Amino acid sequence: PSKMSALRHGMVSRLVKCCNAFDNDLLRSVKQGAALLPAPVHRIRLPCTLDMINYIVHRNTQVGASMSQVMLATGVQMGFFLCLRSSEYVSKRMVPLMDTHQFLSTDVQFVLRDERYTLINSNQIRHYTYTDFKTVKFSMQHAKNIRNGFGVPIWFSTHDNNHLPVPFVELVFQWSKHSIRFDADPFLSFRVQDRLTCLLYTDIQDAVKSSAAHFGFDTTTFNTHSIRMSAPTIARAANLSVTNIMKMGRWKSLPAPVLY
């Protein structure tokens, strides 16, 4: 079904009139029927538990942790709290592709506590303190289901209702402050003597599987997508509405979030 939909979308985008053939009742029924088939065994994935997420973060933010470790912890928390696909925060290779879906340094901005709500890019906050800011803005520019040129902003307050720092935001701030990046560099990367190091897909994959093994789970049922599945699963267990879960994960089709 996904390939048929993609083919039809390609035809529509090229203004080819024959795309109407895909509206045939028989083809529509075939797609609906195929979509109900159970997933192949190799595609079954389980969500990370909150303990698994916290285990990865705690393990990689100890005193003396390397830049790569803190980058990993930051990426895992971003994947969890922003409900991200792996392509939206990691690279498949050390030098990311030009059409990457990842957050760039300029896509993560902190809002100053001033009358103008000034936005400061994440790679330009070295001389600021955490209390200088009131919120952080994540702008999703290139993710799936987002129209080209239409970003989706996601905001987090720096402090909770008790005026205490929000741990996730504080970690993002610390990473932003201590990592050297250019504007066009991925947010989850850093430079040492102009050499760029990016958070890689394999780093997240290994961390998730190691965490699963630590808690005695079957590692073959976990991968990077397990992080994206985590927050919606926890939210649904807490009786959050399906409508809000669809907004959380930016899903347009009801069957997708229902799987979680």
Side-chain angles (χ1 to χ4, degrees):
S2 61
K3 291 180 180 178
M4 293 172 67
S5 296
L7 183 59
R8 185 185 188 283
H9 175 74
M11 289 180 171
V12 172
S13 65
R14 291 171 176 78
L15 302 178
V16 178
K17 294 182 179 179
C18 65
C19 67
N20 291 332
F22 283 82
D23 291 328
N24 178 276
D25 288 340
L26 177 60
L27 281 177
R28 187 181 295 110
S29 297
V30 169
K31 284 181 62 179
Q32 290 174 347
L36 296 175
L37 294 174
V41 174
H42 71 276
R43 290 190 62 188
I44 293 176
R45 291 292 177 263
L46 296 178
C48 290
T49 65
L50 185 57
D51 284 342
M52 287 176 62
I53 298 293
N54 289 335
Y55 172 80
I56 296 172
V57 173
H58 179 73
R59 188 179 182 186
N60 290 280
T61 53
Q62 297 296 301
V63 175
S66 66
M67 289 290 291
S68 294
Q69 286 180 294
V70 179
M71 178 169 65
L72 171 64
T74 306
V76 168
Q77 283 215 329
M78 285 181 63
F80 175 79
F81 282 102
L82 301 179
C83 198
L84 302 177
R85 301 171 182 85
S86 60
S87 62
E88 294 166 2
Y89 65 105
V90 299
S91 301
K92 283 291 184 74
R93 59 184 191 177
M94 192 58 67
V95 179
L97 300 173
M98 291 301 294
D99 61 347
T100 178
H101 291 175
Q102 299 170 65
F103 288 96
L104 301 182
S105 294
T106 52
D107 293 331
V108 180
Q109 298 172 299
F110 291 83
V111 182
L112 281 174
R113 292 180 180 276
D114 59 12
E115 295 179 354
R116 294 174 295 175
Y117 301 104
T118 306
L119 289 165
I120 309 294
N121 292 336
S122 65
N123 57 321
Q124 297 175 346
I125 67 168
R126 185 169 299 274
H127 302 297
Y128 292 94
T129 64
Y130 187 73
T131 54
D132 290 333
F133 300 107
K134 62 182 303 179
T135 52
V136 60
K137 175 187 178 185
F138 299 90
S139 298
M140 304 191 69
Q141 301 285 359
H142 310 286
K144 184 180 178 182
N145 295 342
I146 294 179
R147 290 173 58 191
N148 188 28
F150 289 79
V152 174
I154 303 175
W155 304 79
F156 281 82
S157 298
T158 55
H159 293 78
D160 61 20
N161 290 336
N162 296 319
H163 307 291
L164 296 175
V166 176
F168 162 56
V169 180
E170 190 171 27
L171 179 58
V172 169
F173 170 82
Q174 293 297 338
W175 172 253
S176 301
K177 185 178 179 70
H178 297 290
S179 57
I180 298 175
R181 288 164 289 109
F182 298 156
D183 284 358
D185 288 342
F187 175 71
L188 292 168
S189 69
F190 64 93
R191 290 181 178 271
V192 176
Q193 296 180 346
D194 211 33
R195 178 178 178 272
L196 182 67
T197 298
C198 296
L199 180 62
L200 299 180
Y201 176 91
T202 51
D203 298 333
I204 298 293
Q205 179 91 315
D206 291 345
V208 169
K209 289 186 176 294
S210 295
S211 181
H214 174 78
F215 288 98
F217 299 136
D218 179 1
T219 60
T220 62
T221 56
F222 293 88
N223 69 356
T224 58
H225 205 67
S226 297
I227 297 176
R228 172 168 166 77
M229 297 168 66
S230 185
T233 304
I234 294 170
R236 190 68 187 115
N239 294 321
L240 186 69
S241 71
V242 174
T243 300
N244 283 326
I245 288 177
M246 290 178 70
K247 292 177 180 178
M248 176 192 298
R250 305 169 306 285
W251 286 295
K252 293 183 178 180
S253 170
L254 180 61
V258 168
L259 288 174
Y260 299 99

